[in-house]
Amino acid sequence: MTESPSSSPAYLSEEARYLVKLVVVGGLGVGKTTMVTTVTELRSVTTDEVMTVASAAVDNLQFTPQKTTTTVFMDFGRLTLPPGDMVLYLFGSPGQDRFKDAWQDLSTGAHGVLVLLDVRRLDDSFAALDLVERSGLPYCVAVNQFPESPEVSEETLRDHLDLHPTTPLVLCNALDFRSSVDALIALVRHALSRSRLEAAS
Ligand SMILES: Nc1nc2c(ncn2[C@@H]2O[C@H](COP(=O)(O)OP(=O)(O)OP(=O)(O)O)[C@@H](O)[C@H]2O)c(=O)[nH]1
Ligand SMILES: [Mg+2]
């Protein structure tokens, strides 16, 4: 297990009222660990291990050739949203089918899921989308934009992923704090509106 440097206080602010559990899921190398590490105010906790030749047959590194590690269980981070009353607990979960036990553990009790994807290999997202849809949890799809990512219209993406019209679809850059926080806020808004709708029905 490795830890990255801390940048903020470890203690919850006194204004914290709403504790929200979110899961970030997606295919191999879409940027889950990067996003959790970018936004966390605590030391992020990751469970990355060096990839071995044994994974070469199942893990496609064509689009992330510099990648040498992969998350084998989870990432963890925490983010307090201004003005300070809502705290997001972020769990990064592998989305590949062989890690579905990790997904089951990490998604239990979650309020929402951010499905992160890379438009260069949309089909790698289907396993993660399938897990999320079967969970019934509210989710938002976030396209992580890499420098080499081609432009794809929202309509094409929605069509290819067969998204419900009410499922939010946002663009983000997992290396950028503001952009990553905006994607998480889109998810929180969606989860809140769905819970209000459910409460009203
Ligand atoms: N340019 C760019 N590179 C990114 C971005 N997000 C991730 N990367 C790079 O892509 C590679 C994979 O990112 P990770 O965060 O490890 O991806 P992951 O989804 O956690 O990968 P696994 O845990 O192995 O499934 C790393 O080399 C990152 O630096 C991004 O938004 N822009
Ligand atoms: Mg990872």
Side-chain angles (χ1 to χ4, degrees):
M1 187 178 286
T2 58
E3 293 186 21
S4 68
S6 164
S7 57
S8 292
Y11 298 106
L12 265 186
S13 84
E14 292 200 349
E15 294 87 59
R17 294 283 174 276
Y18 307 104
L19 308 182
V20 180
K21 177 179 180 181
L22 301 179
V23 183
V24 180
V25 72
L28 178 86
V30 293
K32 304 175 295 289
T33 300
T34 304
M35 179 177 275
V36 173
T37 305
T38 296
V39 301
T40 188
E41 63 203 6
L42 292 176
R43 274 168 186 267
S44 66
V45 178
T46 69
T47 56
D48 276 27
E49 298 289 346
V50 173
M51 299 171 88
T52 66
V53 284
S55 74
V58 281
D59 289 335
N60 179 0
L61 296 178
Q62 183 192 350
F63 297 102
T64 49
Q66 72 284 34
K67 191 169 169 56
T68 56
T69 63
T70 188
T71 306
V72 293
F73 183 62
M74 67 161 200
D75 310 297
F76 174 73
R78 192 189 79 195
L79 172 68
T80 304
L81 293 179
D85 57 348
M86 184 176 284
V87 181
L88 308 183
Y89 289 88
L90 304 170
F91 293 83
S93 167
Q96 298 100 306
D97 202 46
R98 69 184 192 277
F99 290 128
K100 59 175 180 285
D101 288 348
W103 158 260
Q104 291 298 349
D105 290 346
L106 297 172
S107 62
T108 300
H111 296 95
V113 183
L114 193 72
V115 182
L116 203 55
L117 53 86
D118 177 347
V119 286
R120 297 170 298 174
R121 46 208 171 102
L122 282 179
D123 293 358
D124 291 0
S125 329
F126 288 155
L129 272 168
D130 196 42
L131 288 175
V132 176
E133 272 169 7
R134 273 190 281 140
S135 74
L137 291 167
Y139 69 95
C140 168
V141 175
V143 176
N144 189 17
Q145 292 181 292
F146 291 79
E148 308 80 17
S149 295
E151 266 191 41
V152 183
S153 73
E154 178 171 343
E155 191 187 358
T156 305
L157 280 173
R158 285 189 171 279
D159 198 43
H160 194 80
L161 300 171
D162 198 19
L163 294 184
H164 191 273
T166 60
T167 302
L169 174 65
V170 297
L171 300 180
C172 70
N173 174 354
L175 291 169
D176 181 80
F177 177 81
R178 190 67 254 169
S179 166
S180 298
V181 172
D182 284 348
L184 293 166
I185 289 174
L187 169 61
V188 170
R189 288 211 169 106
H190 178 60
L192 276 174
S193 73
R194 223 186 79 171
S195 65
R196 283 190 190 125
L197 282 178
E198 281 172 2
S201 61

